[in-house]
Amino acid sequence: MIAISDEHECKVSFFETHPTDIDECTTATHNCHGVANCYNSEGSFTCQCRDSYTGDGILNCDPVGE
């Protein structure tokens, strides 16, 4: 057992606990909208509405001009 004093804070990074990145886009574990593209990044992902759509890429992607 390791004792840590109150003066020291132990911080563990994402990659120390998850050494390999999980690609949420290819494993379909993302929450992107149906007409959004998913882009993987280390430890995360982003969603972007496809061309001709606008929105946040997650909750909405509305056709441009409507």
Side-chain angles (χ1 to χ4, degrees), residues 6-52:
D6 291 337
E7 295 176 21
H8 296 86
E9 183 178 329
C10 181
K11 293 185 180 187
V12 178
S13 74
F14 175 84
F15 289 102
E16 288 175 322
T17 58
H18 299 86
T20 55
D21 179 50
I22 297 169
D23 186 340
E24 294 87 356
C25 300
T26 60
T27 59
T29 55
H30 62 82
N31 61 342
C32 296
H33 191 276
V35 291
N37 293 317
C38 180
Y39 298 99
N40 187 59
S41 59
E42 289 188 22
S44 190
F45 64 95
T46 57
C47 304
Q48 182 179 5
C49 295
R50 295 180 189 162
D51 289 343
S52 302

Side-chain angles (χ1 to χ4, degrees), residues 33 35-36 49-66:
H33 191 276
V35 291
C49 295
R50 295 180 189 162
D51 289 343
S52 302
Y53 291 89
T54 185
D56 64 9
I58 297 171
L59 295 177
N60 59 52
C61 284
D62 300 315
V64 173
E66 290 190 20

